[in-house]
Amino acid sequence: MKVLGINAIYHDPAAALVVDGKVVAAAEEERFSRRKHGKRPLPWSAWELPELSAAWCLAEAGIRPEELDAVAYSFDPALMTTPEDTGLNDLGDTMRKKYAEMAPDFLAHALPGLDPATVRFVKHHVAHAASAGLAAPQRDNAVLVLDGRGEAHSHLAGRYTDGQLEILAGQALPHSLGLMYEELTDHLGFLRSSDEFKVMAMASYGKPRFTGALSELVRATDDGGFRTEKIDFTEFAPRLGKGDQWTEAHADLAASVQTRLEEVLVDLARWVHAQTGEKTLTLAGGTALNCVANTRILAESPFEQVWVQPAAGDAGTALGAALHVARELGEDTQPMPGAALGRGWTDDEIEQVLQTAAIDYERPDDVAEAVAEVLADNGIVAWFQGRSEYGPRALGHRSLLAHPGHEANLERMNDVKGREQFRPVAPMVLLERAPEIFSRGPIPSPYMLFVHDVAEEWRDRIPTVTHVDGTARIQTIDPEASPLVHRMISAFERRTGIPVVVNTSLNTAGRPMVDDPRDALECFGSAPVDLLAIGSFVVRRPTPTSRTRN
Ligand SMILES: [Fe+2]
């Protein structure tokens, strides 16, 4: 059975392909179109499809559109109520519903040969749930989905038993923890449904002194759901415009909403544990990208394990919808093999691109050693290896790397990326060394979806990746799953004594992550990066950036 998954309705359009129950490809449209998040989540853009990523998924597997058994579209317009009934009064919903209803015809146009009758609508939160519960390695699990909104809900609680979903609770709109967080993002001068992670970063600078005032407005209910009443954020801190300087009150507001969110999520996790008694909780929905909250759920709920879909936002619903429909068609689906589900290139293909660009390059004996040498010398490295990541995090395939031992490297990395200086950068660490340096969050932590405490004696040794509150959002590197990255960090450790490197996504300000070799060369050419390690090749900048800065 061949099932193509499509996410298109709100944000992060993406496609995924499941063949005979196995995930063979998944990618976000932004990596192809080079437009961050693919599109803005506006009603009149709801028709836009992930055409390029869908076509690539099929080409990757050598499948023609007419050979597909089903297309799974991660939104069901039949479940949409009226703008008045949702309580959101979003008049754009009428347009979204119409466009979703027409999606089969749009898809048949985008993928010539496709039979529109093969398109099946999957409830948005069921698609999210499947992206967690069917993709996780633990076959039986409890599942929690929390996002801004789906058709008429913002939450799902359930359990997977032998691949079958039982829905236990669902919170109807207008109550939505995701929309509440988006409102705050907007209030703080950031871009809603895009920059929520900046609010999480800002929260660590503040004190949660307004949490008491929020506790009645945002609270869990006995039936597994919750209430989010309208909050007038101006009562706590004035509204900010884009780029305005924030104050202590803004950081305190961010900290208070973040803390209240965490408390409610822990309550929801406790409820679903009480209903299911499962050992593992799986999470999806945009709220599951909140790694501070994820760590708190693990620490304070009774679950032994928490597994989070790396593409927890709407992009992941393409994968979830495909897995769900594959199950409906009788397939025994397999857990996802990892996040490296996007495009990849052979060395021959990469060398061709380098030759076309007429750029000097070398083929070192071991690219891992060549990179470690530059990093140890405090250079910045663009790392392009293997298939690209599905989801918003760089996980060792399209990364910018640096030495974690120099405090100034935080500013340097944020300069490369044109980011706010309060934003942290994250460490990659050898799995076997992680317990000595990081605690509280889970180890292994392969997808950077939890925060950990940095051991006191290590904070001065890795200041670049130690956030203001003494935490770090780590990725552990397993030698079997990621042998090349593991070898590179080991080589860095031999030179410096530090089994950690700085890892942030390979992109410059406002652009999607680099995906193909030409993107990599363009990024390398325009950003102060010392070395591009691409496949087995390296491209060097003649003058080290550390020298040009001083
Ligand atoms: Fe969603």
Side-chain angles (χ1 to χ4, degrees):
M1 291 283 181
K2 304 172 184 71
V3 184
L4 179 69
I6 295 285
N7 171 58
I9 194 84
Y10 292 112
H11 28 74
D12 300 306
L17 186 66
V18 172
V19 176
D20 298 334
K22 294 193 182 70
V23 182
V24 297
E28 292 178 58
E29 188 71 0
E30 65 160 24
R31 309 291 159 83
F32 295 76
S33 70
R34 311 308 300 155
R35 187 177 174 203
K36 188 104 171 154
H37 296 297
K39 61 180 174 184
R40 290 294 298 145
L42 300 167
W44 46 90
S45 68
W47 69 271
E48 289 181 35
L49 295 166
E51 295 183 35
L52 301 169
S53 45
W56 169 76
C57 283
L58 296 180
E60 175 72 9
I63 292 171
R64 295 192 308 276
E66 54 268 41
E67 294 174 308
L68 286 167
D69 295 287
V71 177
Y73 184 88
S74 61
F75 189 85
D76 186 348
L79 301 176
M80 248 187 140
T81 49
T82 65
E84 298 77 42
D85 285 346
T86 61
L88 295 173
N89 294 313
D90 184 346
L91 298 180
D93 278 0
T94 314
M95 200 179 276
R96 288 192 181 96
K97 185 179 173 85
K98 190 77 198 153
Y99 282 154
E101 285 167 350
M102 295 172 74
D105 289 334
F106 289 165
L107 280 161
H109 178 77
L111 301 170
L114 179 78
D115 177 359
T118 58
V119 179
R120 295 181 182 215
F121 295 116
V122 178
K123 184 179 178 175
H124 186 70
H125 289 104
V126 168
H128 270 308
S131 80
L134 293 180
Q138 300 85 355
R139 193 173 174 86
D140 291 345
N141 55 70
V143 61
L144 261 184
V145 174
L146 286 135
D147 65 0
R149 61 167 298 182
E151 297 87 353
H153 290 79
S154 69
H155 151 265
L156 177 152
R159 82 196 297 177
Y160 275 94
T161 310
D162 286 333
Q164 292 302 315
L165 174 64
E166 178 192 359
I167 298 176
L168 299 167
Q171 178 58 53
L173 295 169
H175 302 284
S176 167
L177 292 165
L179 289 182
M180 174 193 71
Y181 215 85
E182 283 185 20
E183 286 289 329
L184 177 63
T185 304
D186 186 58
H187 185 80
L188 295 174
F190 302 124
L191 186 61
R192 67 161 66 218
S193 75
S194 171
D195 289 349
E196 280 65 32
F197 53 96
K198 296 183 186 176
V199 177
M200 192 182 73
M202 190 193 285
S204 54
Y205 288 84
K207 292 190 182 61
R209 64 188 165 103
F210 307 128
T211 308
L214 295 172
S215 60
E216 266 306 296
L217 298 170
V218 185
R219 63 186 196 280
T221 48
D222 293 342
D223 56 0
F226 52 84
R227 292 288 173 274
T228 52
E229 310 297 350
K230 187 89 187 136
I231 304 171
D232 181 5
F233 290 123
T234 54
E235 277 181 28
F236 306 102
R239 170 173 286 276
L240 293 176
K242 187 172 183 237
D244 286 353
Q245 184 58 47
W246 48 274
T247 64
E248 197 178 299
H250 294 101
D252 290 350
L253 174 59
S256 304
V257 173
Q258 171 70 30
T259 300
R260 192 62 196 135
L261 172 76
E262 294 163 16
E263 291 168 352
V264 173
L265 291 176
V266 169
D267 286 344
L268 296 177
R270 284 184 181 138
W271 185 88
V272 74
H273 184 270
Q275 303 297 311
T276 63
E278 291 289 348
K279 290 184 179 147
T280 303
L281 175 66
T282 62
L283 295 174
T287 308
L289 293 171
N290 192 309
C291 45
V292 177
N294 293 346
T295 292
R296 218 162 146 196
I297 292 169
L298 177 65
E300 296 181 29
S301 78
F303 287 103
E304 291 173 22
Q305 291 178 304
V306 176
W307 188 89
V308 187
Q309 161 58 242
D314 274 1
T317 64
L319 176 67
L323 286 169
H324 178 78
V325 167
R327 277 265 161 198
E328 283 186 334
L329 295 172
E331 292 281 359
D332 186 15
T333 54
Q334 305 296 309
M336 66 191 280
L341 299 167
R343 287 189 288 180
W345 278 265
T346 64
D347 276 345
D348 284 350
E349 289 167 333
I350 290 170
E351 189 162 27
Q352 190 64 50
V353 174
L354 294 170
Q355 285 177 354
T356 302
I359 196 165
D360 286 339
Y361 64 91
E362 303 157 29
R363 186 172 196 143
D365 293 339
D366 184 352
V367 74
E369 291 285 341
V371 166
E373 197 172 317
V374 171
L375 291 176
D377 198 29
N378 204 19
I380 291 183
V381 174
W383 175 261
F384 182 106
Q385 302 293 340
R387 295 179 70 172
S388 59
E389 297 90 343
Y390 185 46
R393 308 270 188 258
L395 299 168
H397 299 268
R398 304 287 185 272
S399 290
L400 265 177
L401 309 174
H403 194 309
H406 304 289
E407 202 164 355
N409 278 352
L410 175 60
E411 193 179 327
R412 206 167 152 207
M413 296 297 265
N414 280 335
D415 279 351
V416 170
K417 305 197 21 129
R419 307 196 318 179
E420 299 85 353
Q421 289 303 338
F422 67 88
R423 301 267 302 279
V425 290
M428 287 200 289
V429 56
L430 298 178
L431 173 61
E432 64 276 18
R433 299 292 306 279
E436 164 195 339
I437 308 171
F438 303 104
S439 59
R440 192 160 61 101
I443 294 173
S445 184
Y447 298 133
M448 276 173 75
L449 288 162
F450 297 87
V451 289
H452 296 66
D453 289 331
V454 182
E456 203 69 54
E457 62 274 25
W458 275 91
R459 290 183 186 182
D460 290 343
R461 295 186 69 187
I462 51 171
T464 318
V465 294
T466 304
H467 198 29
V468 61
D469 56 0
T471 64
R473 188 183 66 191
I474 76 170
Q475 181 193 1
T476 53
I477 300 298
D478 183 317
E480 281 177 26
S482 306
L484 180 64
V485 178
H486 194 276
R487 215 164 64 235
M488 180 267 292
I489 304 177
S490 301
F492 179 76
E493 185 187 16
R494 278 201 306 282
R495 288 167 171 82
T496 62
I498 302 173
V500 174
V501 299
V502 179
N503 166 37
T504 182
S505 54
L506 181 55
N507 61 333
T508 47
R511 303 203 175 193
M513 266 159 72
V514 158
D515 204 74
D516 77 13
R518 210 179 64 173
D519 303 334
L521 282 175
E522 287 176 358
C523 182
F524 178 70
S526 63
V529 173
D530 295 284
L531 186 86
L532 168 64
I534 180 163
S536 297
F537 308 97
V538 298
V539 182
R540 292 179 197 276
R541 182 174 301 276
T543 312
T545 62
S546 53
R547 221 177 293 159
T548 55
R549 283 175 60 85
N550 298 321

